[in-house]
Amino acid sequence: MAEIKREVIEQFQFEGTYTEGIPYGSGHINDTFRVTFQEEGKTKRYILQRMNTQIFLHPEELMENVEGVTSWLRKKIEERGGNPDRETLNLVPTKQGKFFYADTDGDYWRAYLFIEDAMTYDLVEKKEDFYESAVAFGNFQGLLADYPAETLHETIQDFHNTVKRLDTFKKAVEADVCKRAADVQEEIRFVLDREPLAHKLCDMQAEGKLPLRVTHNDTKLNNIMIDNATGKAICVIDLDTVMPGLAVNDFGDSIRFGASTGAEDEPDLSKVSCSMELFELYTKGFVEGCKGSLTKEELDMLPVGAMTMTYECGMRFLTDYLEGDHYFKIHREGHNLDRCRTQFKLVRDMEEKWEQMNEIVNKYR
Ligand code: ADP
Ligand code: MG
Ligand code: MG
């Protein structure tokens, strides 16, 4: 973890005298610090982050996205009488009036107002937390429904271009650099048998049947702040992967990860299924949070979003396994294959529960 540099502290428009800076939170991507200032007996706190420029190669563009989205959210929250200091991230500008600072070592830094009296949680402890995260991400979608999504930069190119991902997968099978393909014929077949699924949402988007939206792309529980007093989600954070995309993919990735009864790398597949109870909770929360901003087609495609994101993710794990595990970190032999199998087990389970999933969506639309 990087240290905070004096040089950096002095660049931002923080109020008061700097008293403390400590590593903060449990994020895995950026180096996050909480910095404290004192002014006339009052304490002011901020979040200061060293951005991860290994992953995000264009920090300027990324910060343009964050700036655009947070200022939009601020305006919308003000309009509806909310508290914009707590219900969205707020960037602290530098003394030059910019929203990031590139230090003398080439590290990029940014700062936010610290959201007081709220917490993030790493694990879903109560089912209500999962529901709350659904409301928060739905609300995020709703507030940004008329944002000109096409003006956002694609911080990671073709992130959910499932057709392209399938292409990459086929090339990996063809090349078979680790000679592993023979042992995973069943999994390879699984992917190829479902080729139309890879095309479904991409085609609908290309035909203009699904609108381009502002998507978050990291809809984990620990990217929402939960109010300590009320237990309600108040704010969506971690906007690094905000990009133009499909609302159903944000929804789908949450289901993929959050509605599974097993861990993503569970070797015992009998433990892995898609919980209809959790699917229902998330659907209810997400649709409520969106407040009528989803189109008929988007609502129709929510289950397809869940299945596509799970299929795509399994395919990516399998691709990495075939290519020699250089993208996803592995902690044991066959780790990516285990991960791939949980995802395919989930897809199968969704196929079996397809009618029920659609009925659930119809109940809340
Ligand atoms: P990463 O991309 O590394 O996950 P995050 O932006 O999610 O980074 O920040 C890491 C953690 O820091 C969050 O999970 C949260 O606990 C805390 N955090 C981030 N921004 C704020 C904020 N504005 N106010 C309070 N806590 C924050
Ligand atoms: Mg995070
Ligand atoms: Mg992040």
Side-chain angles (χ1 to χ4, degrees), residues 102-296:
D103 73 16
T104 42
D105 300 324
D107 285 332
Y108 280 72
W109 299 80
R110 68 173 166 219
Y112 294 114
L113 297 184
F114 186 85
I115 298 169
E116 299 284 353
D117 308 314
M119 291 264 291
T120 51
Y121 295 90
D122 288 328
L123 292 172
V124 177
E125 280 164 21
K126 306 182 254 86
K127 295 194 171 111
E128 294 77 62
D129 293 342
F130 191 49
Y131 170 77
E132 280 304 316
S133 78
V135 175
F137 286 115
N139 189 36
F140 181 80
Q141 197 51 250
L143 289 171
L144 292 160
D146 42 5
Y147 190 94
E150 69 286 352
T151 62
L152 291 171
H153 301 283
E154 233 182 308
T155 42
I156 304 171
Q157 289 283 306
D158 292 315
F159 192 53
H160 284 314
N161 187 336
T162 316
V163 174
K164 231 182 182 153
R165 299 255 185 218
L166 179 63
D167 228 47
T168 308
F169 166 77
K170 286 179 181 167
K171 289 199 179 102
V173 175
E174 188 80 8
D176 195 18
V177 287
C178 298
K179 301 274 165 281
R180 287 175 170 177
D183 301 331
V184 290
Q185 282 304 306
E186 204 185 311
E187 285 76 15
I188 292 171
R189 207 21 49 227
F190 186 94
V191 176
L192 299 177
D193 282 348
R194 287 160 185 78
E195 182 149 354
L197 182 60
H199 288 267
K200 177 80 187 167
L201 295 173
C202 289
D203 288 357
M204 285 182 77
Q205 183 181 355
E207 292 160 10
K209 290 181 184 153
L210 290 172
L212 201 63
R213 301 279 196 188
V214 180
T215 52
H216 184 278
N217 296 301
D218 194 8
T219 53
K220 287 195 303 263
L221 183 67
N222 68 7
N223 285 331
I224 57 163
M225 307 275 322
I226 307 245
D227 187 286
N228 292 343
T230 63
K232 301 256 175 242
I234 49 166
C235 178
V236 168
I237 62 168
D238 202 348
L239 304 176
D240 290 336
T241 46
V242 159
M243 275 181 262
L246 299 178
V248 299
N249 286 345
D250 258 4
F251 171 87
D253 200 44
S254 306
I255 297 300
R256 177 193 78 74
F257 195 80
S260 173
T261 55
E264 196 175 61
D265 60 355
E266 174 59 59
D268 178 0
L269 291 181
S270 71
K271 293 186 182 154
V272 181
S273 67
C274 181
S275 156
M276 286 300 101
E277 189 191 357
L278 292 174
F279 179 78
E280 177 154 2
L281 265 182
Y282 199 91
T283 302
K284 180 174 186 290
F286 189 76
V287 173
E288 279 172 11
C290 283
K291 294 198 180 70
S293 62
L294 296 178
T295 65
K296 178 191 174 295

Side-chain angles (χ1 to χ4, degrees), residues 279 300 303 353-363:
F279 179 78
D300 289 344
K353 295 171 176 166
W354 198 240
E355 234 171 276
Q356 201 185 344
M357 288 169 77
N358 282 287
E359 278 164 19
I360 289 169
V361 170
N362 287 335
K363 198 163 140 189

Side-chain angles (χ1 to χ4, degrees), residues 24 33 36 42 64 78 85 118 158 226 229 233 338 344:
Y24 193 80
F33 303 89
T36 307
K42 272 208 233 130
E64 269 178 43
E78 270 165 2
D85 286 351
D158 292 315
I226 307 245
D338 288 343
F344 292 171

